[in-house]
C-alpha cells in the first residue's frame, strides 16, 4: 500500500513564495513519475508540473519561470517551489505518482494567494 501526503500549503501574499512537498510512503522500490495538479473553485483540475522517472520536467505555461518541480529520491519526496505567486494561483494542489502499475493521489493542500 502506498500513500501520498502533501504539505506546505497555506496563505501567501501576491509575489511571495511557498514550497509544497509530496511524501510517498509504503512499498516503493524505484524512482517513479510524479506530478502536481491544482483545482480552483468552479474549475476543472489542471496540470501544474510533472517530473518523469528519468528526470524530465514539464510545466504548464502559466507557471513557467515561476514554479519548479524537483524530487528527493532518498526521501521519496517531490517538491513544488512556487515563486512570484499570483491570486490566480489560489487552488487546492494535489500530487500524484505512478508507483508500480497504479496511479496514486494525495489528499491535496490548500494554497491561497491574497493580500
Amino acid at each position: 500500500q502506498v500513500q501520498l501526503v502533501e504539505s506546505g500549503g497555506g496563505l501567501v501574499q501576491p509575489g511571495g513564495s511557498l514550497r509544497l512537498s509530496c511524501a510517498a510512503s509504503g512499498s516503493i522500490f524505484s524512482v517513479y513519475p510524479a506530478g502536481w495538479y491544482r483545482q480552483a473553485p468552479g474549475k476543472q483540475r489542471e496540470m501544474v508540473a510533472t517530473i518523469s522517472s528519468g528526470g524530465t520536467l514539464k510545466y504548464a505555461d502559466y507557471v513557467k519561470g515561476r514554479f519548479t518541480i524537483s524530487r528527493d529520491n532518498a526521501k521519496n519526496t517531490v517538491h513544488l517551489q512556487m515563486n512570484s505567486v499570483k491570486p490566480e494561483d489560489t487552488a487546492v494542489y494535489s500530487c500524484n505518482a505512478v508507483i508500480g502499475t497504479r496511479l496514486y493521489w494525495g489528499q491535496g493542500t490548500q494554497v491561497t494567494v491574497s493580500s
Side-chain angles (χ1 to χ4, degrees):
Q1 188 72 9
V2 172
Q3 284 190 324
L4 301 181
V5 178
E6 298 100 336
S7 61
L11 175 64
V12 59
Q13 292 187 342
S17 297
L18 211 58
R19 190 192 195 206
L20 307 183
S21 297
C22 174
S25 61
S27 301
I28 302 167
F29 304 106
S30 61
V31 178
Y32 50 88
W36 283 96
Y37 293 74
R38 70 186 187 185
Q39 186 168 20
K43 294 187 177 181
Q44 289 190 334
R45 184 166 59 193
E46 57 187 9
M47 185 274 286
V48 176
T50 63
I51 181 168
S52 73
S53 55
T56 299
L57 309 180
K58 291 185 179 180
Y59 296 94
D61 287 343
Y62 43 81
V63 303
K64 281 181 180 178
R66 300 189 298 123
F67 292 7
T68 302
I69 188 171
S70 63
R71 67 159 83 233
D72 182 337
N73 293 333
K75 297 182 179 179
N76 289 325
T77 301
V78 177
H79 302 288
L80 183 69
Q81 178 66 41
M82 306 169 61
N83 297 330
S84 302
V85 296
K86 305 174 182 180
E88 50 264 43
D89 293 322
T90 295
V92 174
Y93 285 72
S94 302
C95 66
N96 74 2
V98 177
I99 300 174
T101 59
R102 290 186 58 182
L103 174 66
Y104 296 89
W105 284 91
Q107 81 288 352
T109 185
Q110 176 70 45
V111 172
T112 302
V113 183
S114 174
S115 55

